[in-house]
Amino acid sequence: MVVTDITERLKVVRDRIAVAAANAGRDPATIRILAVSKRQSPAAIAALAEAGINDFAESYVQEAAAKLSAVKHVTWHFIGQVQSNKTRFIAESFDWVESVVRERIARRLDEQRPHHAPALNVCIQVRIDPRDSRPGVDPEDVPAMAATIAGCPRLCLRGLMGMPPAGRSAQETARSFRSLSSLFESIRKDHPSVDTLSMGMSGDLEIAIAEGATQLRIGTALFGLRSD
Ligand SMILES: *Cc1c(COP(=O)(O)O)cnc(C)c1O
C-alpha cells in the first residue's frame, strides 16, 4: 500500500535526521523537512501531509498548478527555474520561492504578489561551486541581491538555497555546504528576517545537517524513485 510506504519512508528520514542532528549536537526540531513533490501525484502528497509534513516543493509550474489546487492547507515552495512568463502564477500561488537568481525576477515577483497575501518568502539560489553550470548567484554577488530583495515590500528575504554538483565526494560536498553556511551567517547579520539555510537532499542530508542546514529538500527518500 502506497500510504504505508510513505509513512515508513518518512520514519526512516526522520530517524536519519535525528541521528545526524545528535551527532552534530543540534536539536532536530530546528531542521525542517521540505518534501520535493515534483513528478508525484496529489494522492501521494496528501498521504504525506496526512503523516505530518507541512511543506512541499515543486520545480515546474506546469505540473504544479493541479497539485496546488488539489492539496490545500500546506505550505508550497517553488524550487525550479523561474521563467519571466511564469512569475505571475508563482507570485499568486506559492508561499515561498527558493530559486531566485536574478534581480529582474525578484522585482517582477514583488510587483505581482497580490496585496491581500502575506509577503512572498524568498531564498536566493547560490552557485556554491564556480565549476557548476546550473543557475545560481555567485557568492560575491549575494549581498547585493539580498539588499535588492530586502528592499522589495512584497517579498520577505528568508535565506539561501544551494546544492553541490552531483557526483562529488562527501568531503567536497561538505566543503560546499560549509561555504554556503558561512555566507548564510554573514547575510543573516545584515538581514534579521533571514533564518533559512536550504541545503541537503535525499543523498546528502547528514552532511548538510552537520554543516548547519535548517531545511532539507527531500524527494526520493520520501516518495520513492521518480521517473525523471
Ligand atoms: C529534485 C530536487 C530535490 C530533491 O532531490 P532528491 O535527491 O530526490 O531528494 C531537491 N532540490 C531541488 C532543487 C530539486 O530539484
Side-chain angles (χ1 to χ4, degrees):
M1 247 304 275
V2 177
V3 172
T4 320
D5 287 351
I6 279 186
T7 326
E8 277 166 11
R9 285 198 203 94
L10 177 57
K11 187 185 174 331
V12 170
V13 168
R14 287 210 165 114
D15 287 347
R16 285 175 63 189
I17 293 171
V19 170
N23 288 339
R26 299 185 55 197
D27 176 359
T30 63
I31 303 161
R32 172 166 61 220
I33 297 175
L34 174 54
V36 179
S37 49
K38 64 184 176 205
R39 309 268 189 253
Q40 306 297 340
S41 67
I45 298 167
L48 203 48
E50 187 69 26
I53 293 295
N54 182 61
D55 290 82
F56 292 87
E58 288 288 330
S59 303
Y60 310 100
V61 165
Q62 224 77 10
E63 63 166 283
K67 295 186 235 180
L68 267 63
S69 44
V71 187
K72 311 252 189 223
H73 313 298
V74 299
T75 301
W76 282 103
H77 301 233
F78 188 76
I79 59 169
Q81 218 166 312
V82 185
Q83 291 159 332
S84 329
N85 62 347
K86 298 291 192 317
T87 51
R88 182 172 297 280
F89 178 83
I90 293 172
E92 290 177 352
S93 312
F94 281 84
D95 304 292
W96 288 65
V97 182
E98 303 200 1
S99 43
V100 170
V101 298
R102 280 164 31 216
E103 293 200 356
R104 201 170 64 81
I105 293 288
R107 292 191 200 282
R108 281 176 75 94
L109 291 168
D110 180 50
E111 280 161 22
Q112 295 172 342
R113 180 67 169 174
H115 281 262
H116 59 78
L120 181 62
N121 298 295
V122 169
C123 293
I124 299 168
Q125 183 173 348
V126 182
R127 177 167 34 210
I128 316 178
D129 185 324
R131 293 166 296 177
D132 195 348
S133 59
R134 292 171 304 181
V137 177
D138 289 321
E140 61 272 26
D141 299 330
V142 167
M145 180 67 124
T148 298
I149 293 168
C152 290
R154 306 297 302 136
L155 305 182
C156 179
L157 178 66
R158 297 296 297 271
L160 305 181
M161 187 269 258
M163 47 195 152
R168 295 281 155 80
S169 70
Q171 234 167 0
E172 284 175 305
T173 300
R175 207 175 306 133
S176 291
F177 284 154
R178 200 167 309 147
S179 67
L180 190 58
S181 192
S182 73
L183 188 57
F184 169 71
E185 292 304 337
S186 88
I187 294 297
R188 195 183 357 207
K189 286 198 186 88
D190 293 332
H191 301 282
S193 61
V194 166
D195 60 0
T196 303
L197 178 54
S198 178
M199 63 184 195
M201 313 196 295
S202 297
D204 55 19
L205 67 88
E206 285 84 359
I207 307 174
I209 289 171
E211 302 301 338
T214 70
Q215 179 182 268
L216 309 165
R217 302 181 314 276
I218 304 182
T220 49
L222 288 171
F223 288 105
L225 287 178
R226 286 184 298 271
S227 49
D228 62 358

